[in-house]
Amino acid sequence: MVRPCFWDTPLKGVLLAGCLLLSWGPPTGVCTFVVRVVPEAPSVGQNVTLSVETSLGPLRHFDWYRGKLTDGGTRIFSYFPGQDRPQRNGAQFTGREVGFPNGSLLLQGALANDSGTYRVSVQLVPQGSEKSSVELRVSVPATTPTARTLPPPDSGTGTPSASAAPSTPQVLGWVVAGVVVGVLLAGALGAVIIYHLVLQQSDLAGGSTGRLDPKGKKPARSARDDMEPIYEVMESPLELPQLEGRGPGSEPQALPELLRRAESVYAQIQR
């Protein structure tokens, strides 16, 4: 008995239909576009464009990612061409990334830590998707000044600068000296104030009114000055020197006259 050939079975038509459908479907898993870095060797501070070069036709939308993974934590933004608000920023957006309708990305003011892998996923019209990646390397200019290291304190090379900060013990010494001087000044000022207060109280208690005032004027006369008698010492006429040739009894009439003058002067003094 001869067995029938496989191609003569009813499955022949099904297999042919499946092959035709696979051949007509859109290609998958094959990258048909590339991403170029412009400029090719960017440096810190330059604007860098990750330019998408493709001939796939219009794009429905595309997503840019920073890193090797393509998920919500690495998404920079999604872009929908033709909409009023085409760019929707993601978790990795830094405020310096700008998208273009052709799928490109502009990175403004590149930094050294921007270096790494960037991936883009493109959704085509009417259907289908493509993915691609690019490596970005941002170089640091050679003219960037490097931090200068200072020699250790005990190396003995050079003298310390005048602007160097003083050591902690020296600062504490100045603080202690300032506190001591302040305490001494405060004590001296307090002693002067107490001395003046005590002197003023003693003058008031003793009733001293005979001191000169600060302007050097004489003290005012008290009410008792008019009641106290004033005495004046006068030379006695009997002790006056006698002229030569004249004795005590030569002019007896002069003695009463001198006594009357003395009484008159004494009376004037009492008034």
Side-chain angles (χ1 to χ4, degrees):
M1 180 178 180
V2 180
R3 293 181 179 180
C5 181
F6 178 77
W7 296 105
D8 295 336
T9 61
L11 296 176
K12 179 179 178 180
V14 177
L15 294 175
L16 290 175
C19 292
L20 291 175
L21 290 175
L22 291 175
S23 62
W24 288 347
T28 58
V30 179
C31 182
T32 58
F33 70 97
V34 295
V35 180
R36 301 185 184 278
V37 179
V38 181
E40 295 182 358
S43 59
V44 173
Q46 287 184 328
N47 294 339
V48 183
T49 302
L50 305 181
S51 178
V52 174
E53 300 179 0
T54 179
S55 58
L56 297 177
L59 305 179
R60 180 183 301 175
H61 82 274
F62 58 90
D63 305 292
W64 273 99
Y65 302 89
R66 179 181 283 112
K68 295 182 179 182
L69 301 178
T70 55
D71 53 23
T74 60
R75 185 173 67 92
I76 302 174
F77 63 81
S78 298
Y79 196 94
F80 299 86
Q83 296 189 7
D84 295 337
R85 182 172 168 264
Q87 182 170 326
R88 314 291 173 82
N89 301 323
Q92 291 293 324
F93 181 74
T94 63
R96 297 177 291 117
E97 295 85 2
V98 179
F100 294 98
N102 65 344
S104 300
L105 180 149
L106 172 64
L107 180 60
Q108 299 174 342
L111 303 176
N113 56 4
D114 290 333
S115 301
T117 302
Y118 289 79
R119 294 182 179 272
V120 59
S121 175
V122 177
Q123 300 295 325
L124 304 176
V125 176
Q127 61 181 358
S129 64
E130 295 289 343
K131 295 181 180 180
S132 183
S133 62
V134 66
E135 290 290 331
L136 175 63
R137 291 290 179 265
V138 181
S139 61
V140 179
T143 57
T144 302
T146 58
R148 187 177 61 179
T149 58
L150 297 177
D154 55 351
S155 61
T157 58
T159 57
S161 60
S163 60
S167 58
T168 302
Q170 184 177 0
V171 174
L172 293 177
W174 282 108
V175 171
V176 172
V179 172
V180 172
V181 172
V183 171
L184 293 177
L185 291 177
L189 182 60
V192 171
I193 294 175
I194 293 174
Y195 172 77
H196 282 283
L197 292 177
V198 171
L199 183 62
Q200 184 178 4
Q201 292 295 332
S202 63
D203 291 344
L204 293 176
S208 175
T209 58
R211 294 188 308 163
L212 295 177
D213 59 3
K215 295 184 180 180
K217 296 181 179 180
K218 295 181 178 180
R221 295 180 59 185
S222 62
R224 299 178 56 187
D225 290 347
D226 295 337
M227 300 175 60
E228 295 179 357
I230 299 176
Y231 300 95
E232 183 176 356
V233 179
M234 298 182 63
E235 296 181 356
S236 173
L238 297 178
E239 297 178 359
L240 292 176
Q242 301 294 330
L243 296 176
E244 295 181 0
R246 297 182 181 180
S250 60
E251 295 182 359
Q253 68 277 6
L255 182 59
E257 183 65 23
L258 292 176
L259 294 176
R260 285 194 300 270
R261 291 181 180 179
E263 291 179 359
S264 176
V265 173
Y266 180 74
Q268 291 179 4
I269 291 174
Q270 285 184 345
R271 288 198 300 268

